[in-house]
Amino acid sequence: MFEVLIKGGWVMAPLGICSLVAVTIIVERLIFFRRTGFRQPADEVLALVRQGRHEEALAKADGNQLPVVKVLQAGLSHRRNPGKAMEAAGLAEISGMKRGLTALETIITLSPLLGLLGTIIGMIGSFQIMTLAGSSQPHAVTGGVAEALIATASGITVAVVTLIPYNYFLRRVEQETETIEQYATRLELAFNEPLPERAR
């Protein structure tokens, strides 16, 4: 298999780099988004706020790395203007969730172009051999065509394999953004709710 890839020409080197970068980002983002799916800490923080136990809620949120909890912590830390504080924190968290996605998008666009470049180079080589040797060396001609096809297939493969997780990550960012907005609104409402009799 490795020997076949080598026949794809020098464009296989940047395609290999693209694939390694894509795999690294995909694994890192999968681990990241696996950790962000928990909602229980955010619900516990809101429950404490509704009971008027703001300091306990802030202590519970402190140090938690979930994006939604970090946004709630910003609101708890700036109770005079929690909306603006949570908006700023939310923007920072969303930016963090998108980390690496621009690189994946670039790889999705770049890989087929590199494959196409390899195709063109391989075909040029084939035509040059055909011009010099005529039809007396058919194997040399078909070798250039094979190089072109290997480069094209590799470029498309890298793009397709990267596209699926990229779209998944975009969807997760949208979901987490909606969750952050919902919990931020719930926290603002909790600040304005009347306290239970025991908390007064």
Side-chain angles (χ1 to χ4, degrees), residues 132-152:
L132 295 174
S135 58
S136 61
Q137 294 183 7
H139 294 293
V141 175
T142 56
V145 175
E147 176 181 323
L149 295 177
I150 291 169
T152 301

Side-chain angles (χ1 to χ4, degrees), residues 40-117:
Q40 184 178 353
D43 290 327
E44 292 174 354
V45 169
L46 286 176
L48 290 171
V49 173
R50 290 193 184 99
Q51 297 170 16
R53 298 155 64 183
H54 294 172
E55 296 303 323
E56 291 181 45
L58 182 59
K60 188 168 190 63
D62 187 34
N64 194 301
Q65 295 303 307
L66 292 176
V68 63
V69 177
K70 291 170 75 174
V71 171
L72 295 181
Q73 180 185 6
L76 288 165
S77 300
H78 302 83
R79 270 176 268 173
R80 292 185 178 181
N81 197 350
K84 291 293 184 182
M86 288 189 289
E87 181 180 354
L91 291 173
E93 292 304 313
I94 293 169
S95 177
M97 287 188 285
K98 290 181 177 179
R99 188 175 64 243
L101 298 190
T102 300
L104 290 183
E105 185 179 13
T106 301
I107 290 170
I108 291 168
T109 305
L110 181 62
S111 296
L113 294 177
L114 286 172
L116 179 60
L117 179 61

